[in-house]
Amino acid sequence: MKTFHSYSEVLSCIGQEVAVSDWITITQAQVQLFADATGDQQWIHTDPERAAKGPFGAPIAHGFLTLSLLPQFFARSFAIEGSRMGVNYGLNRVRFTSPVPVGSRLRARMTLQAAERVEPDGLQMTWLVTVEREGSDKPVCVAESLARNYGAAA
């Protein structure tokens, strides 16, 4: 876990890979909960028997499930000391470049592309997040994520 002690420290990391998260495992229960929450009950996600005979040879996680892991990857990888709140500000670009079979282990590489101060006491950051699947040389998701942080020291 990387800890920034000020926004100035964050700003000094523009253009650098700042963190690599720990691995997390994608389970069928997690995929089913996501399907239930979103209403996306596509059989390639929720029917392991049918999915085993399908195009991926196993059930796969929803692309949006993979994307929804970004806040978890951020929270487990770095912190800004004194922050009172961080918020998701949106996405500029997202690509799902490879499937995520259930049972896969994923991690994220986070590169700070840009950062700027926003009023009254915030910092907006643009992160290139590359989600990797253990054992694969191709990422499963590449996203440009915008995040805002409020309340940390200058």
Side-chain angles (χ1 to χ4, degrees), residues 3 7 11 21 35 41 43 47 49 61 70 74 81-82 89 97 115 119-120 126 130 142:
T3 301
Y7 286 156
L11 291 164
S21 74
Q41 297 288 338
W43 62 267
D47 187 339
E49 286 181 29
L70 267 58
F74 283 131
E81 193 173 82
Y89 194 64
T97 51
E119 294 299 324
T126 303
T130 303
V142 180

Side-chain angles (χ1 to χ4, degrees), residues 1-144:
M1 167 78 84
K2 178 167 182 58
T3 301
F4 292 104
H5 301 286
S6 67
Y7 286 156
S8 296
E9 281 188 20
V10 177
L11 291 164
S12 73
C13 291
I14 293 172
Q16 298 176 34
E17 182 176 272
V18 171
V20 179
S21 74
D22 290 335
W23 293 101
I24 62 168
T25 301
I26 303 301
T27 67
Q28 186 63 52
Q30 187 179 28
V31 169
Q32 188 61 57
L33 286 169
F34 189 86
D36 293 343
T38 63
D40 183 352
Q41 297 288 338
Q42 170 93 239
W43 62 267
I44 61 172
H45 307 301
T46 61
D47 187 339
E49 286 181 29
R50 186 174 177 194
K53 298 172 191 161
F56 304 107
I60 60 169
H62 304 73
F64 285 129
L65 169 57
T66 303
L67 185 63
S68 74
L69 297 172
L70 267 58
Q72 183 179 162
F73 288 134
F74 283 131
R76 293 181 177 190
S77 300
F78 70 89
I80 302 175
E81 193 173 82
S83 170
R84 73 171 192 279
M85 177 178 62
V87 295
N88 171 7
Y89 194 64
L91 300 158
N92 286 338
R93 180 180 166 102
V94 177
R95 295 292 181 266
F96 302 111
T97 51
S98 184
V100 177
V102 168
S104 295
R105 287 178 15 116
L106 305 179
R107 72 176 177 188
R109 294 184 170 279
M110 291 152 273
T111 299
L112 183 62
Q113 292 183 303
E116 63 184 338
R117 294 177 188 271
V118 292
E119 294 299 324
D121 62 350
L123 185 69
Q124 180 170 305
M125 299 161 283
T126 303
W127 294 93
L128 177 63
V129 183
T130 303
V131 182
E132 302 174 328
R133 180 169 58 93
E134 188 175 48
S136 176
D137 58 354
K138 186 173 183 181
V140 298
C141 178
V142 180
E144 191 174 85

